[in-house]
Amino acid sequence: MLSVLIPVYNWDVRAFVNELHRQLESENIPYEIVIEDDTSEERYHLLNSSLPKLPHTSYCKNEINLGRSKIRNSLISKSQYPYLLLMDCDAGIVSPDFIHNYIKAIRKFSTKDNFVISGGVVYRPEKPEQDYMLRWKYGRKKEEIPAKKRNTHPYKSFTPFNILATKTIFETLRFDETFSSYGHEDTVFGYQLQEAGVPLLHIDNPLFHDGLDKNEVYLQKIECAVENLIRLAADPSVPPKAFDDIRLYNFHRKLKALKLTSIYRLKYRIFKKIIRQRIIKKGDLICLDLYKLGKIIGDE
């Protein structure tokens, strides 16, 4: 019935997979756990390679790094059951009923061939060290959203961090493999779901996001995401409405329409170092927005 698919990169997933396995066993359903390691360091490989000792669990390590989208497509191709549960490796179980909650949600779509259910993401309430504060603050403010609110604009809130979908969806839709670095592969896939009319239901069945990057590392990922956004916006095959739910990009459009981008570009270049320093040292989210907008405008 259910294939649980976990791409791994430099993360010890043993506790996570063992708890998933325990919950799956208690449901008394056909299942598999498929783990694919995308060229992690050897120490992580040695830790995680013991997981196939669990029944219905497989593990393999790639010889070359596939990247964020391609490894998800690879896992989907390996799956054997009609329902796929995709999640990131740096996740933690919140509820002892995590699997059971998804099984209940599937029944709501018993007459549908295609659907996606998103469980959501939360962050642990304890503040991390200052060096990790940016990712924690961003996640708590921007990503930790209750299902009721996510369902008002379901495709805007799409993320593949924790989703259940029918396998038949991926017969026509795949994760865009031109995305190998961080950022906006979820924007494209969410838009494709919307255009295809695939129902997307958000439920309160989150996972903890435990993989907090250091402030400077996360800022580098944000820069990659902005570069991906710029590339997408220049792609004639991607219509402008695909970006309608990206607040910062819409603000950029308004500045451009008002012919104010040159003024912002000048101020950004003057204050860029100060803004960047406040992001790295303080985890300042307002400065992060200013920085992202400056990267969009500065790279025109």
Side-chain angles (χ1 to χ4, degrees):
M1 176 187 183
L2 183 63
S3 294
V4 178
L5 311 178
I6 307 173
V8 176
Y9 183 72
N10 286 349
W11 199 261
D12 180 356
V13 293
R14 290 176 299 168
F16 181 47
V17 171
N18 272 280
E19 175 58 18
L20 287 170
H21 186 270
R22 186 195 66 77
Q23 292 191 23
L24 287 159
E25 284 286 302
S26 68
E27 290 297 319
N28 195 30
I29 59 170
Y31 74 90
E32 64 177 347
I33 301 175
V34 185
I35 306 160
E36 186 169 344
D37 187 301
D38 209 16
T39 66
S40 294
E41 295 173 11
E42 187 64 17
R43 61 192 175 108
Y44 292 106
H45 170 60
L46 291 174
L47 293 172
N48 295 325
S49 60
S50 65
L51 287 168
K53 293 178 182 178
L54 296 171
H56 314 295
T57 302
S58 64
Y59 170 90
C60 71
K61 182 179 180 181
N62 296 329
E63 294 298 322
I64 59 171
N65 185 271
L66 300 182
R68 295 168 62 84
S69 294
K70 197 169 185 178
I71 194 170
R72 289 189 179 114
N73 289 338
S74 174
L75 282 161
I76 289 162
S77 298
K78 293 174 180 176
S79 64
Q80 62 173 309
Y81 290 116
Y83 300 109
L84 310 182
L85 178 55
L86 287 83
M87 59 194 75
D88 284 3
C89 64
D90 56 345
I93 298 292
V94 176
S95 169
D97 296 319
F98 174 73
I99 294 294
H100 183 70
N101 291 339
Y102 268 129
I103 300 300
K104 285 197 303 182
I106 287 173
R107 297 191 183 109
K108 295 181 180 181
F109 290 102
S110 58
T111 60
K112 300 265 186 193
D113 292 328
N114 288 325
F115 60 84
V116 177
I117 305 168
S118 175
V121 58
V122 294
Y123 288 75
R124 299 195 187 263
E126 302 83 12
K127 286 186 177 182
E129 296 177 9
Q130 188 61 42
D131 284 350
Y132 297 87
M133 193 63 74
L134 176 62
R135 185 67 185 95
W136 183 79
K137 281 184 177 180
Y138 186 89
R140 296 265 289 181
K141 183 172 182 180
K142 305 285 189 179
E143 299 171 350
E144 196 171 298
I145 307 169
K148 184 177 180 180
K149 185 173 181 180
R150 284 183 279 136
N151 278 318
T152 59
H153 298 284
Y155 301 96
K156 174 183 178 180
S157 300
F158 174 80
T159 170
F161 179 81
N162 170 25
I163 61 167
L164 187 146
T166 53
K167 186 172 182 177
T168 52
I169 286 172
F170 298 103
E171 292 173 356
T172 54
L173 300 180
R174 306 288 276 181
F175 289 102
D176 187 338
E177 295 186 1
T178 62
F179 289 91
S180 57
S181 59
Y182 181 91
H184 289 290
E185 71 276 11
D186 50 353
T187 299
V188 172
F189 197 80
Y191 175 72
Q192 290 175 331
L193 289 175
Q194 185 173 14
E195 287 296 289
V198 176
L200 173 54
L201 173 69
H202 293 268
I203 64 174
D204 287 315
N205 194 33
L207 290 170
F208 286 121
H209 186 183
D210 287 332
L212 299 181
D213 298 304
K214 284 191 171 183
N215 296 348
E216 192 157 4
V217 173
Y218 186 58
L219 186 57
Q220 290 170 357
K221 287 186 174 182
I222 290 291
E223 291 169 348
C224 286
V226 172
E227 290 170 5
N228 283 341
L229 180 61
I230 293 168
R231 176 174 64 83
L232 279 174
D235 187 342
S237 68
V238 182
K241 64 180 179 178
F243 309 103
D244 285 349
D245 291 328
I246 302 176
R247 180 181 58 84
L248 200 62
Y249 197 77
N250 284 325
F251 186 70
H252 161 252
R253 285 172 171 171
K254 290 177 182 178
L255 284 180
K256 198 169 185 178
L258 294 170
K259 302 186 185 304
L260 295 175
T261 54
S262 58
I263 296 173
Y264 190 91
R265 185 184 297 112
L266 177 61
K267 290 186 175 181
Y268 169 72
R269 287 173 178 171
I270 294 171
F271 295 105
K272 177 181 177 180
K273 288 184 179 179
I274 297 173
I275 292 170
R276 198 174 192 279
Q277 187 176 43
R278 282 193 61 85
I279 296 168
I280 293 171
K281 298 294 185 183
K282 304 290 186 181
D284 191 313
L285 295 184
I286 293 175
C287 284
L288 181 63
D289 280 346
L290 294 174
Y291 187 78
K292 289 195 289 185
L293 182 60
K295 292 292 288 183
I296 292 171
I297 291 173
D299 288 338
E300 287 181 332

